[in-house]
Amino acid sequence: MRFDDPWYEASAAGWDEEDERDGAADGGASSPGGPRPAPGVAEIYLEVHRSEAFREVRRRYRRFVVPAALAFLLWYLAYVVAATTAPGLMARPVAGAVNVAMVAGLGQFLTTFLLTWAYARHARLRRDRAALDLRWDTQELTRGLTEQRAGGSVR
């Protein structure tokens, strides 16, 4: 299975190791008597990872996900604890055969869908454009590197 997505496990793909082996094979430099002409793919991704734009995208992601996940986890645990420690409360009828446990259980489903909608909306409004800009810039840098290497080997 081949992944063309440059964000897919860049460090696990061995790009760092490959660059080191290439350098070690020919005496520590990619061309005789000189340093490497351009940064490797790994260096480009490390530079992007260190950039303020990348940190801002991650910060926006964490600002939404951490509180939302904690709130949902607390809500879920409250339901489980109430179901096990207060069976009388959970069995209390609300309307006909519908009791508090059924309403709370359906509320779990409802909050799951609401949280999914809120996450998608937050991503669309606050992160997607910045992440796409980063991805575009990174692909342009790696494309330029690939073209430069291809052009250098043909000559």
Side-chain angles (χ1 to χ4, degrees):
M1 178 184 255
R2 183 166 181 229
F3 292 101
D4 291 330
D5 185 2
W7 289 103
Y8 182 79
E9 295 292 330
S11 60
W15 291 346
D16 295 330
E17 298 164 6
E18 187 176 308
D19 290 342
E20 290 171 7
R21 280 182 293 204
D22 291 345
D26 41 271
S30 58
S31 62
R36 295 172 69 176
V41 173
E43 288 88 9
I44 289 172
Y45 282 99
L46 288 173
E47 180 182 332
V48 169
H49 188 266
R50 291 182 193 117
S51 72
E52 182 59 35
F54 182 81
R55 279 185 267 164
E56 181 61 27
V57 169
R58 297 295 298 166
R59 192 176 306 123
R60 289 177 183 177
Y61 171 78
R62 278 189 233 110
R63 259 190 235 146
F64 179 84
V65 169
V66 171
L70 285 174
F72 186 78
L73 182 63
L74 288 174
W75 159 232
Y76 175 75
L77 290 175
Y79 174 75
V80 171
V81 168
T84 57
T85 61
L89 171 70
M90 298 300 269
R92 184 170 295 159
V94 174
V98 178
N99 60 20
V100 172
M102 293 174 93
V103 172
L106 291 173
Q108 291 285 320
F109 285 104
L110 179 63
T111 55
T112 301
F113 291 119
L114 287 174
L115 188 58
T116 302
W117 170 80
Y119 176 82
R121 183 176 186 274
H122 181 268
R124 185 179 67 247
L125 296 176
R126 308 233 192 253
R127 293 190 325 265
D128 284 354
R129 177 55 47 201
L132 284 173
D133 289 344
L134 272 172
R135 187 176 185 152
W136 180 259
D137 293 344
T138 306
Q139 286 179 346
E140 286 297 312
L141 288 171
T142 57
R143 185 178 297 123
L145 179 64
T146 305
E147 290 171 357
Q148 183 181 23
R149 285 186 179 170
S153 63
V154 173
R155 292 181 198 182

